[in-house]
Amino acid sequence: MTTNADDAPAADAKAEADAGASRPRPRRRAPAGAAVLRQDVTEAIRAAVFEELAAVGYARMSIEGIARRAGVGKTAVYRRWRSKLHLVLDIVSALAVQGLPAPDTGALESDLRLLYEVTARALRHPVASQIIPDLQAEAARNADIAEALRKALREGQEGVASKILAAAERRGELRSGFDGELALDLISGPLHWRSVVIRGGELPRGTWTCSPGRRRRR
């Protein structure tokens, strides 16, 4: 009968290791039996990390707290990540590749409006609004977290915004050869400043009308 690695309680981990060391192991076998990691347990741990970060912050977060919140033993966490730092880095870095869906309304103004609405809603989520400022504070002390957070926040947004700008350039709404880096900063900066740094309430009312060569408030 095949058993999953996560079925064994944490207290039995050493006994399992000793028993495994005393018998020969076949080489280059596909993971099976005790080597199999259940996906539902992995997802439960990932969800518990976000909840624990929002509740106590990175500094006070512990593997014990994560395991308790996920309803698993500590061994189940350590089989996947060797420390809370590696766990958080893995999860935060994964956000960069997930990204947001790129709006495709056929016009730069409506694309940007939709992007702002979706991003602002995500940043105002109770969990995100607690986790991001906490990790930013931790990033000032930990270069690895700083790099992972920069990748998640900037590259995730850039992937969407760059598609919007490229489409607008093809439609003739933006002149060829515009400063792409500056444009990306102007798109993402106001949202993150207000939602993450200022942490204010609703975004200012009104829209910006964009056309080649000028912008105006209405």
Side-chain angles (χ1 to χ4, degrees):
M1 178 177 177
T2 300
T3 58
N4 291 296
D6 301 307
D7 292 337
D12 295 336
K14 186 176 184 302
E16 289 179 354
D18 293 340
S22 65
R23 58 177 180 268
R25 294 181 179 180
R27 295 180 179 180
R28 296 184 179 180
R29 289 181 58 187
V36 175
L37 299 178
R38 288 170 46 187
Q39 185 62 29
D40 60 327
V41 173
T42 301
E43 294 306 317
I45 294 172
R46 289 179 182 275
V49 171
F50 284 108
E51 294 172 2
E52 194 74 359
L53 277 172
V56 303
Y58 178 83
R60 296 175 57 194
M61 187 180 75
S62 66
I63 296 296
E64 290 83 355
I66 294 169
R68 183 168 53 252
R69 193 178 289 272
V72 300
K74 289 191 300 181
T75 307
V77 182
Y78 282 120
R79 283 192 178 103
R80 292 162 172 82
W81 300 277
R82 63 178 181 268
S83 69
K84 76 171 186 177
L85 174 60
H86 289 91
L87 197 163
V88 170
L89 290 177
D90 177 50
I91 291 177
V92 171
S93 297
L95 297 177
V97 298
Q98 291 177 2
L100 297 169
D104 185 15
T105 65
L108 176 59
E109 180 181 350
S110 51
D111 279 352
L112 290 177
R113 184 185 297 117
L114 184 56
L115 175 64
Y116 286 153
E117 290 173 355
V118 173
T119 306
R121 192 179 306 120
L123 291 173
R124 285 197 297 264
H125 188 280
V127 174
S129 64
Q130 292 294 325
I131 290 176
I132 294 176
D134 178 72
L135 288 180
Q136 284 183 318
E138 193 65 34
R141 300 183 289 270
N142 189 308
D144 290 330
I145 290 181
E147 175 60 21
L149 192 61
R150 185 202 65 79
K151 181 182 178 71
L153 292 178
R154 183 169 181 82
E155 293 188 8
Q157 187 80 358
E158 279 182 355
V160 178
S162 60
K163 292 179 181 178
I164 293 175
L165 295 174
E169 184 179 11
R170 289 194 299 270
R171 291 191 297 262
E173 295 178 278
L174 293 174
R175 61 175 174 77
S176 299
F178 66 90
D179 189 334
E181 286 293 322
L182 177 59
L184 291 172
D185 287 343
L186 291 174
I187 290 173
S188 304
L191 271 178
H192 288 281
W193 172 262
R194 189 170 185 85
S195 299
V196 179
V197 181
I198 301 293
R199 305 186 72 182
E202 295 296 320
L203 294 174
R205 295 184 179 277
T207 60
W208 287 90
T209 299
C210 302
S211 61
R214 73 178 189 276
R215 295 180 178 86
R216 67 178 186 274
R217 186 77 179 273
R218 72 181 186 188

